[in-house]
Amino acid sequence: MNPDFLPTPEAAFTLDTVRQASRLVKHIQGQTVTPALTKTDRSPVTVADFASQALVGYLLKKAFPQDPLVGEEGSAALQKPEERPTLEQVTAFIAQFLPEATPQKVCDWIDHGASEPAPRFWTIDPVDGTKGFLRGDQYVVALALFIDNQVQIGVLGCPRLPFQQLVGVQANDHSSDARLSGLHGTLVIAMRDKGTWATPLDGPEHFIALRVSACAQPDQARVLGSYEAEHTNQGQMDEFARRLGVKTEPLHLDSQAKYALLAGGQGELLLRLLSPARLDYREKIWDQAAGSLIIQEAGGKVTDLDGSPFDFSTGRTLKHNRGVLASNGLLHEKALETLRMMGC
Ligand code: AMP
Ligand code: MG
């Protein structure tokens, strides 16, 4: 079964672009993230971030030349003389995909993402979950199209999320198909009013519709949260689970891969609580755009910690929203009530 939105140029572009960027990032991870890497050396993710955004900038300019791109990265840091080796490394990786790449062109493609939100624009997180990328854990490439402050299309490229794991519990399950075993990555796409679908990142196209879990009992719920302690409040995560009566341990993993798991019924609640060290932290649009549509179109619900929907009209940051509560819908009110009782 194929989603009926696939023939639209925007949907085809988003899938193809995220597939290519995810493969590039996965390739860079394979080449640069080695056991010898020191804990403080972030250079592999710096290279991957810039390379991924440059590739997306190049592809968007070609496909939709009028459309602005709002990206996490800018080339200014990369243009400093001391960063020349990094720029050359980024260029060399991109040149394996785009032989015409030069350092100057790469900077131009990255800066195609320097735009501000407009009535119609795209947003890219070239590597979401950078710490997971460096640990060899979860990370994603996230691209979304906004029209009039609403996410229309969201795609997550999840190189480390096995396709069979994600679609394993879906009702229209074809995952026993031998051709699909051992496929290590997944692409997840949602289009407004058209549902959420997963297909292998590599291998033959094989779309399966994703649906959130039907679990309505808190004691059977599974809670998803950040791996990095400083991106959330671990103590409150535990207290939330205890008060709600959740029996299983929360699952901690990096990036919007969590949103894909929730959409696929592999969890019921997802929390981004405010870190005590950063109570003023507000979410970036590229960290929430694709993931939130993917959950909503799979039948779930996404709000901030106060129960308000995301207001994407406030620029690059969700200035009017605190944190994130996402759920399969059935447990949303109970979760909000628990958060209120905890004073979160
Ligand atoms: P996760 O892997 O789910 O923890 O999310 C990764 C995202 O957290 C990154 O894309 C960052 O933009 C974002 N982030 C960085 N600092 C914070 C913070 N203090 N609180 C919440 N999120 C943060
Ligand atoms: Mg991010």
Side-chain angles (χ1 to χ4, degrees):
M1 182 168 48
N2 271 352
D4 60 4
F5 56 76
L6 211 55
T8 68
E10 282 85 356
F13 163 79
T14 324
L15 265 181
D16 179 55
T17 298
V18 174
R19 178 172 269 132
Q20 291 194 50
S22 302
R23 286 180 180 164
L24 172 62
V25 173
K26 187 175 159 186
H27 174 67
I28 295 173
Q29 191 191 40
Q31 299 284 304
T32 59
V33 177
T34 60
L37 200 68
T38 64
K39 277 216 153 45
T40 51
D41 183 3
R42 287 182 52 85
S43 57
V45 77
T46 306
V47 171
D49 255 336
F50 284 120
S52 172
Q53 183 163 319
L55 179 61
V56 173
Y58 166 85
L59 293 170
L60 181 64
K61 231 171 167 171
K62 227 169 65 163
F64 298 104
Q66 307 302 325
D67 285 359
L69 179 65
V70 176
E72 193 172 6
E73 308 299 338
S75 80
L78 207 51
Q79 303 224 34
K80 293 182 182 154
E82 66 270 25
E83 288 301 329
R84 188 70 193 181
T86 311
L87 177 55
E88 286 185 352
Q89 222 188 336
V90 172
T91 308
F93 274 117
I94 299 228
Q96 294 176 21
F97 284 65
L98 302 172
E100 69 199 269
T102 62
Q104 187 51 52
K105 282 185 181 166
V106 164
C107 290
D108 292 346
W109 296 335
I110 291 169
D111 289 337
H112 193 55
S115 302
E116 289 303 313
R120 171 179 157 126
F121 73 98
W122 300 78
T123 189
I124 176 72
D125 193 340
V127 181
D128 178 34
T130 52
K131 290 171 181 159
F133 173 93
L134 287 169
R135 254 188 272 108
D137 288 341
Q138 291 295 338
Y139 64 91
V140 307
V141 175
L143 181 62
L145 169 65
F146 276 96
I147 297 177
D148 296 335
N149 300 322
Q150 272 199 334
V151 192
Q152 292 301 317
I153 301 178
V155 173
L156 296 177
C158 315
R160 298 192 54 84
L161 199 59
F163 179 68
Q164 279 194 312
Q165 183 194 333
L166 185 61
V167 303
V169 297
Q170 299 296 300
N172 57 350
D173 182 356
H174 297 90
S175 58
S176 55
D177 187 329
R179 289 174 310 143
L180 301 176
S181 64
L183 293 176
H184 293 303
T186 309
L187 270 177
V188 183
I189 179 164
M191 194 163 175
R192 185 162 288 279
D193 301 326
K194 303 279 187 183
T196 296
W197 302 75
T199 187
L201 180 60
D202 298 302
E205 208 74 285
H206 188 107
F207 284 96
I208 290 184
L210 296 186
R211 264 337 265 178
V212 291
S213 140
C215 167
Q217 281 131 295
D219 60 335
Q220 286 167 29
R222 295 155 293 178
V223 181
L224 303 161
S226 290
Y227 181 96
E228 291 295 327
E230 63 267 29
H231 291 179
T232 187
N233 184 326
Q234 301 284 26
Q236 281 184 340
M237 287 279 294
D238 294 341
E239 189 188 342
F240 171 84
R242 200 175 58 247
R243 284 193 186 224
L244 204 59
V246 172
K247 295 275 186 294
T248 50
E249 284 293 306
L251 182 61
H252 295 286
L253 73 158
D254 305 279
S255 82
Q256 288 167 77
K258 291 185 278 297
Y259 293 61
L261 286 178
L262 185 73
Q266 310 261 340
E268 284 71 31
L269 291 160
L270 184 160
L271 279 173
R272 292 186 74 76
L273 297 171
L274 296 173
S275 152
R278 288 295 311 275
L279 291 171
D280 61 340
Y281 186 83
R282 294 297 176 266
E283 299 293 336
K284 303 287 184 288
I285 57 171
W286 49 79
D287 282 328
Q288 304 304 327
S292 59
L293 189 66
I294 278 165
I295 291 173
Q296 284 160 358
E297 286 296 323
K301 186 161 181 175
V302 183
T303 66
D304 65 10
L305 297 173
D306 299 311
S308 305
F310 288 159
D311 175 359
F312 282 113
S313 73
T314 60
R316 297 179 147 234
T317 303
L318 289 157
K319 293 191 182 115
H320 296 160
N321 298 103
R322 289 184 325 116
V324 179
L325 168 67
S327 75
N328 63 351
L330 301 171
L331 288 165
H332 210 87
E333 280 313 312
K334 276 200 180 91
L336 276 178
E337 197 184 306
T338 306
L339 290 171
R340 268 195 297 272
M341 283 184 337
M342 287 168 59
C344 287

